[in-house]
Amino acid sequence: MVEDADNDPVLTDEEIEALVEHAQDGGFDDGEFRIHDFSAGESLTLSKWSELEGLHRNHAEALSRSLSATYDMEISVEARTSSFVSAQDLLTSFPQRLCLVSAQIGPFDAESHLLVAGDTLSFLVNHYFGGGSVTPPRLTSKVTPSEQRIGERVAREFLRTMAEIWVDRLPLQMGDLYVDVTPDRFSLIPREEGFAVFEFDVVAGEEHQSQIKLLVPFDALEAHSTSLVPKKRDLPDHPDASTWEPQLRAALPDVKVEVQGAVDAIETTIKSLLAMKVGMTIPIDEPDAMSLLLNGRAIAHGRYGAHDGLKAMQFTQFKERES
């Protein structure tokens, strides 16, 4: 009897289905039990690679110029926020019509993929063959051979501009392209493998908007994470270890600065100030004291007097020496 009881299911099929539906509706988030996103760690890591944002944005600008010149029309490419997505989630989100270009991008040790949506290809093919004034038809079948050739052409321009933009941070070597119009090759990737997804919005006037996505294996990108954060300057452990500080200290006394002697200051009204003209005389009482100014800041005080027949100042106090 005990053995039979151990083999009985804990929950019935109906109970399991109810729990799954409850979880999908956002249940369990009652303050005590919460749904956990296991990809949050990778997304946080991706956000810490601060140089990626600049590379992504600059790549979009370069690609915009390249596509506009290639297809002789104004095409705007804008970078969207990069994200972390699993292979399984990517596969389920792929559009029905696509061109998937796979390539080995060194120094990454795993294959990267460029996803060009069928809408993008239809628009470019239509414009390329002189149908720019006509709205391209919406196709439901696989990408056509003409669209596939355009997809490969876009991929080459994409990877070329990417290599130019990334060279200062991470020199890239582009391998051969494998062009497919189905996700079959991508479906062989383990479902749990993660990718850094770089999205680009492609906009042409008010008539077209679509996306291009670059999928880079997250682990391969993480292996070169030091190139994706700002470079740190190595500072000496002790100031005396610096090679330039002694020369700087020796040169500082010879740097020229302008100092001013302020004899007196007066107060007046704006009306009187506006009435001042060339030739007018402003009486100034002979002061008992005066100040020495450096960039408008008093650095010393003294007595006003004369020395060897010249007006002079005798120092009585230096600002930095005040107790």
Side-chain angles (χ1 to χ4, degrees), residues 62-83:
L63 187 61
S64 179
R65 293 191 296 268
S66 175
L67 293 179
S68 297
T70 300
Y71 296 97
D72 193 24
M73 64 181 301
E74 188 67 28
I75 298 178
S76 173
V77 181
E78 298 179 1
R80 301 184 66 182
T81 304
S82 54
S83 59

Side-chain angles (χ1 to χ4, degrees), residues 122-135:
S122 297
F123 174 78
L124 294 177
V125 168
N126 188 56
H127 184 85
Y128 187 77
F129 288 102
S133 59
V134 180
T135 303

Side-chain angles (χ1 to χ4, degrees), residues 39-257:
S39 67
E42 288 82 357
S43 299
L44 179 60
T45 301
L46 196 61
S47 66
K48 291 181 178 179
W49 298 337
S50 55
E51 294 299 315
L52 273 181
E53 181 181 354
L55 294 174
H56 192 186
R57 183 176 58 253
N58 293 339
H59 184 194
E61 294 175 358
L63 187 61
S64 179
R65 293 191 296 268
S66 175
L67 293 179
S68 297
T70 300
Y71 296 97
D72 193 24
M73 64 181 301
E74 188 67 28
I75 298 178
S76 173
V77 181
E78 298 179 1
R80 301 184 66 182
T81 304
S82 54
S83 59
F84 173 86
V85 186
S86 68
Q88 180 184 13
D89 290 340
L90 282 170
L91 194 59
T92 57
S93 67
F94 281 172
Q96 182 180 358
R97 302 184 70 251
L98 57 80
C99 181
L100 191 62
V101 182
S102 304
Q104 187 72 41
I105 302 179
F108 306 139
D109 58 5
E111 204 170 51
S112 298
H113 311 271
L114 183 66
L115 174 65
V116 186
D119 291 346
T120 304
L121 299 174
S122 297
F123 174 78
L124 294 177
V125 168
N126 188 56
H127 184 85
Y128 187 77
F129 288 102
S133 59
V134 180
T135 303
R138 287 192 173 275
L139 305 178
T140 57
S141 59
K142 292 181 180 178
V143 165
T144 65
S146 296
E147 291 173 331
Q148 183 175 345
R149 287 193 293 272
I150 290 293
E152 181 177 354
R153 187 175 184 181
V154 169
R156 293 190 184 280
E157 285 299 306
F158 185 97
L159 297 177
R160 180 187 65 79
T161 51
M162 180 181 178
E164 292 177 355
I165 297 300
W166 283 55
V167 65
D168 291 336
R169 276 288 164 183
L170 190 63
L172 304 177
Q173 301 85 39
M174 304 302 177
D176 296 335
L177 305 185
Y178 182 88
V179 185
D180 198 0
V181 296
T182 69
D184 294 346
R185 183 182 180 91
F186 192 86
S187 64
L188 300 176
I189 298 174
R191 55 188 295 180
E192 67 277 1
E193 183 170 337
F195 285 85
V197 180
F198 301 92
E199 298 186 37
F200 300 80
D201 282 336
V202 180
V203 180
E206 298 180 355
E207 56 186 1
H208 176 79
Q209 182 172 355
S210 58
Q211 283 189 342
I212 295 176
K213 295 182 180 181
L214 174 65
L215 318 177
V216 181
F218 182 83
D219 291 342
L221 192 63
E222 188 175 32
H224 301 277
S225 60
T226 54
S227 300
L228 306 176
V229 295
K231 296 179 180 178
K232 295 182 179 180
R233 297 178 59 185
D234 294 331
L235 299 177
D237 295 336
H238 302 285
D240 294 339
S242 171
T243 58
W244 52 264
E245 186 176 359
Q247 291 87 341
L248 182 61
R249 288 182 176 275
L252 275 176
D254 296 328
V255 175
K256 294 182 179 180
V257 294

Side-chain angles (χ1 to χ4, degrees), residues 260-290:
Q260 299 174 335
V263 177
D264 197 3
I266 63 171
E267 291 186 0
T268 186
T269 63
I270 295 179
K271 180 179 179 181
S272 300
L273 184 64
L274 294 175
M276 292 180 182
K277 298 180 181 179
V278 175
M280 289 184 62
T281 301
I282 299 176
I284 297 177
D285 295 332
E286 184 173 309
D288 294 327
M290 62 181 297

